[in-house]
Amino acid sequence: MSQKQKIASALVGTSFEPISLSWDDKDAMLYALGVGAKPEGDLPFIYEGGGGPKVLPTFAVIPGMRALEGLFQNVEMNLAMLLHGEQAIELLRPIPPRATVRVHGRVKEVWDKGKAAVIGIESSAEDSAGVLFRTYATLFVRGAGGFGGERGPSTAGVNVPPEREPDHVVEDVTRPEQGAIYRLSGDRNPIHVDPAFAKLGGFERPFMHGHCTYGFVGRALLAALCGKEPARFKSLAVRFADQVYFGDTIVTKVWRTARGEAIVQAETQKGNVVLSQAKVTFQE
């Protein structure tokens, strides 16, 4: 595509040029630091000793972001009006600390919410052994609706937590510099670090990347359900419900609902739900 297209239903099915990319152990460790890993408790993820580092499963969103770049390069949208709606990953194998992959991305869906548009992008990353992981993300673009498309299905009632106490609760404090570290893994949207740009988008101050919150929750689930072994982590699908601000505590609540499955909800210390309608699958 030589000219940027407007958001419209006709984008569904559009594929972007495959992207070749590589990462190494430094990238994997920087990502882990960006999502809150610390020497005490997370050393195998931030240290190359002993054959490491291990790679957090949610690192898959970093190559997956490259599929979103194809969207940004080919479709008109205002970054200041952009919010992350949903995110999912599916791991077919543990992610190695060093790899070269080809990322394939396509537009799966486009919905017209009236005052906003929702665009769903799916991608896959392949190495020499085949597909390593798949990702899916939706972008909520404020002010981009009203183009005459379908509104899309309702997600009400999806992955609702049971009416009982959670089986696991994990609390983790975010740091003031969390967004400044996380953005070095590739998501340079200034809304997460620049106060003036955040205000331009209608926010009082910069806030956490949705992917960063996703990584915090992924780390919590890896510890609570998988014994911190990435090979046991299979998939995680979530909906972003609210912003996390730097310094907030992320409280991850987990309800086991079947063998190898659990419903997840994340809140701040104030009780605000920031991640909802979430489900994780894992090897028992």
Side-chain angles (χ1 to χ4, degrees):
M1 293 180 285
S2 58
Q3 181 177 331
K4 285 192 175 184
Q5 297 187 23
K6 294 185 179 297
I7 295 174
S9 302
L11 289 174
V12 175
T14 300
S15 296
F16 305 115
E17 286 294 322
I19 299 169
S20 179
L21 63 93
S22 301
W23 63 82
D24 59 21
D25 55 354
K26 181 180 178 180
D27 299 311
M29 291 186 286
L30 179 60
Y31 171 80
L33 291 169
V35 298
K38 303 173 183 65
E40 183 179 356
D42 301 308
L43 188 62
F45 298 95
I46 58 175
Y47 175 52
E48 69 278 9
K54 294 180 179 179
V55 181
L56 292 170
T58 52
F59 178 81
V61 304
I62 301 302
M65 271 289 294
R66 298 301 298 272
L68 296 181
E69 287 180 16
L71 182 72
F72 300 150
Q73 291 168 3
N74 293 289
V75 179
E76 290 183 10
M77 61 182 69
N78 183 350
L79 283 179
M81 303 300 285
L82 185 67
L83 293 173
H84 206 147
E86 298 167 289
Q87 179 65 54
I89 59 172
E90 177 190 7
L91 287 302
L92 280 71
R93 289 174 279 131
I95 301 173
R98 302 162 195 84
T100 297
V101 299
R102 293 272 285 176
V103 177
H104 302 264
R106 66 183 291 272
V107 179
K108 182 181 180 181
E109 55 198 343
V110 178
W111 305 118
D112 186 346
K113 300 296 184 179
K115 293 184 178 180
V118 173
I119 306 175
I121 304 292
E122 59 183 8
S123 73
S124 63
E126 301 178 1
D127 61 11
S128 59
V131 177
L132 180 59
F133 54 79
R134 299 185 180 95
T135 71
Y136 166 78
T138 64
L139 301 178
F140 188 84
V141 191
R142 294 173 295 155
F147 54 83
E150 295 183 18
R151 185 170 180 82
S154 171
T155 59
V158 174
N159 297 333
V160 176
E163 294 186 4
R164 58 177 172 82
E165 290 298 308
D167 298 299
H168 306 278
V169 177
V170 182
E171 298 189 12
D172 210 345
V173 180
T174 65
R175 297 179 59 85
E177 68 272 22
Q178 207 74 61
I181 298 172
Y182 184 83
R183 71 190 304 268
L184 300 180
S185 286
D187 187 343
R188 298 290 185 98
N189 189 338
I191 203 168
H192 302 296
V193 72
D194 183 342
F197 197 87
K199 288 182 179 179
L200 187 65
F203 298 96
E204 56 181 285
R205 61 187 186 277
F207 54 92
M208 288 257 288
H209 299 71
H211 272 160
C212 188
T213 300
Y214 186 82
F216 265 80
V217 172
R219 270 199 318 109
L221 297 173
L222 190 66
L225 301 172
C226 305
K228 298 188 179 181
E229 290 297 334
R232 294 175 55 192
F233 194 108
K234 300 304 179 185
S235 69
L236 175 61
V238 313
R239 177 179 177 272
F240 297 104
D242 204 349
Q243 284 75 44
V244 175
Y245 287 94
F246 305 118
D248 280 348
T249 296
I250 297 177
V251 183
T252 302
K253 298 181 178 180
V254 187
W255 292 262
R256 292 175 179 263
T257 52
R259 183 170 180 79
E261 295 184 1
I263 299 300
V264 183
Q265 181 166 286
E267 306 169 0
T268 66
Q269 74 281 3
K270 299 176 182 179
N272 298 334
V273 175
V274 295
L275 188 154
S276 64
Q277 297 181 340
K279 180 179 180 180
V280 60
T281 64
F282 58 97
Q283 180 184 327
E284 293 278 8

